């Protein structure tokens, strides 16, 4: 019986610095590497498992950042007795043809003998079990093997909860474990363990990785293993002052604040919460529904920077405009002194 630990989309940063929680935390690549260490790697060691599967989108773009490459390489290098198997995801490729470039190209130069990267569909046997590796966009499942892929299948669920039902999509009942979708779920015999941490606001907890035991299609077991990420993303809706109590404290509880127009709150009421990283407004139930799912649909958020937050707070103050201007001027002079 072959055993594996499968890890979904890690999203280490790309060359632009985008990826994972890079908008909100320092050293985002180290954060991701540490999640892999204390979750999947520890579980593999505790349970005598020697194979770890990386299900694609190890990186957020087709050119990996230096820190992203270093952190993933360090995790692999620290565990030479574990065998790592990685497939390409859509984020990591310039096109559907890997020869046009992808994020894992340089790993061939790192001398990591325990890492195998699959850029094309490949059939192998691991501990006598048949495995088919299917990097993005391939979906040619084998009905005799464990299929490792990065894509959607008919009936799978997007992170916003929408069921994917497109004409011509894969409806196979073959045994498969896939990346690409961040929320853990199963459809037919296809398992999506999801990610180790919330990449976007709106992604739900809990988070998972997968423990796979596979001998044959008739003799296998796949289990989702709960993983508790260090950083958690919370969306808090403010319709009244009483809702302020719902804002969690702690720098590792990152908050998206969604404020109803006309709510009896102003910026000074929540300015003490340094863990608020996004602020949005809504007028109607339709607006609220859109705001709650926009990060999942667009995979990008409106970042509220300190300057923006300060401007909102100043405008909310019940003082003369001349006093607002003085406050802005004092802040400017203090910051200038700090910079000097």
């Amino acid at each position: 019986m072959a055993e594996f630990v499968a890890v979904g989309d890690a999203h280490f940063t790309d060359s632009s610095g985008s990826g994972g929680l890079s908008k909100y935390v320092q050293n985002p690549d180290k954060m991701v590497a540490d999640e892999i260490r204390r979750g999947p790697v520890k579980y593999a060691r505790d349970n005598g498992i020697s194979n770890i599967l990386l299900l694609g989108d190890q990186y957020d773009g087709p050119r990996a950042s230096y820190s992203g490459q270093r952190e993933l390489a360090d995790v692999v290098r620290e565990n030479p007795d574990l065998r790592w198997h990685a497939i390409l995801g859509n984020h990591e490729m310039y096109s559907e043809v890997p020869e046009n470039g992808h994020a894992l190209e340089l790993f061939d130069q790192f001398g990591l003998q325990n890492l195998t990267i699959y850029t094309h569909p490949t059939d192998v046997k691991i501990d006598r079990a048949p495995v088919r590796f299917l990097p993005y966009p391939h979906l040619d499942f084998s009905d005799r093997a464990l299929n490792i892929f990065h894509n959607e299948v008919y009936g799978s669920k997007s992170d916003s909860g929408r069921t994917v039902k497109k004409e011509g999509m894969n409806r196979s009942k073959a045994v498969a474990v896939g990346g690409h979708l961040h929320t853990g779920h199963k459809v037919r015999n296809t398992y999506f363990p999801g990610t180790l941490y919330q990449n976007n606001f709106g992604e739900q907890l809990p988070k998972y990785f997968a423990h796979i035991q596979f001998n044959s299609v008739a003799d296998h077991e796949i289990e989702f293993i709960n993983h508790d990420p260090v950083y958690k993303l919370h969306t808090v809706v403010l319709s009244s002052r009483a809702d302020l109590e719902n804002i969690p404290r702690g720098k590792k509880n990152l908050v998206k604040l969604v404020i109803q127009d006309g709510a009896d709150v102003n910026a000074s009421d929540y300015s003490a919460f340094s863990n608020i990283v996004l602020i949005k407004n809504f007028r109607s139930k339709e607006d609220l529904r859109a705001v709650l799912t926009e990060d999942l649909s667009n995979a990008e958020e409106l970042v509220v920077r300190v300057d923006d937050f300060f401007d909102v707070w100043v405008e909310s103050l019940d003082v003369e405009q001349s006093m607002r201007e003085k406050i802005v001027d004092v802040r400017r002079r203090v910051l200038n002194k700090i910079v000097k």
Side-chain angles (χ1 to χ4, degrees), residues 47-180:
N47 290 275
I49 301 170
S50 59
N51 290 288
I52 294 186
L53 308 175
L54 301 178
L55 302 176
D57 282 359
Q58 285 71 237
Y59 292 94
D60 205 56
R63 278 290 173 261
S65 68
Y66 172 77
S67 65
Q69 292 180 84
R70 182 193 63 214
E71 291 292 347
L72 178 54
D74 282 350
V75 174
V76 174
R77 191 175 290 113
E78 291 163 7
N79 297 278
D81 54 328
L82 299 182
R83 290 177 287 172
W84 301 74
H85 309 264
I87 61 172
L88 296 178
N90 57 304
H91 275 260
E92 295 167 311
M93 305 174 70
Y94 280 111
S95 72
E96 295 183 358
V97 179
E99 287 76 14
N100 290 338
H102 59 82
L104 298 178
E105 284 181 275
L106 290 180
F107 275 79
D108 288 340
Q109 310 300 317
F110 293 171
L112 300 171
Q113 300 299 314
N114 57 327
L115 171 65
T116 303
I117 299 168
Y118 301 89
T119 59
H120 294 84
T122 306
D123 291 315
V124 300
K125 283 202 171 181
I126 298 176
D127 297 338
R128 294 183 291 182
V131 182
R132 175 170 289 185
F133 288 100
L134 295 166
Y136 179 82
H138 300 284
L139 282 168
D140 183 20
F141 288 0
S142 166
D143 58 5
R144 298 181 178 181
L146 170 66
N147 298 277
I148 305 300
F149 76 106
H150 185 96
N151 212 316
E152 300 171 336
V153 298
Y154 189 90
S156 57
K157 292 189 176 182
S158 69
D159 299 319
S160 61
R162 176 179 58 87
T163 300
V164 182
K165 293 183 177 180
K166 299 176 184 176
E167 190 67 29
M169 291 189 75
N170 186 307
R171 301 188 186 212
S172 173
K173 295 182 180 179
V175 179
V177 177
H180 181 57

Side-chain angles (χ1 to χ4, degrees), residues 191-254:
Y191 297 77
F192 293 94
T195 53
L196 294 177
Y197 63 99
Q198 296 158 284
N199 283 239
N200 298 297
F201 283 96
E203 287 185 23
Q204 299 299 308
L205 295 172
K207 287 297 184 179
Y208 306 100
F209 53 90
H211 179 183
I212 305 167
Q213 300 177 76
F214 190 89
N215 186 45
S216 67
V217 171
D219 182 15
H220 73 275
E221 183 176 350
I222 299 174
E223 179 184 5
F224 288 166
I225 306 302
N226 195 298
H227 179 74
D228 184 29
V230 170
Y231 285 91
K232 296 179 176 63
L233 306 185
H234 306 266
T235 300
V236 178
V237 178
L238 294 187
S239 297
S240 69
R241 189 176 296 275
D243 294 327
L244 292 166
E245 297 180 359
N246 297 327
I247 302 176
R249 294 188 178 273
K251 63 181 181 180
K252 293 179 180 177
N253 287 313
L254 307 179

Side-chain angles (χ1 to χ4, degrees), residues 297-309:
S297 301
N298 302 328
E300 58 183 23
E301 302 83 14
L302 175 62
V303 177
V304 177
R305 303 182 186 279
V306 174
D307 288 345
D308 299 329
F309 185 86

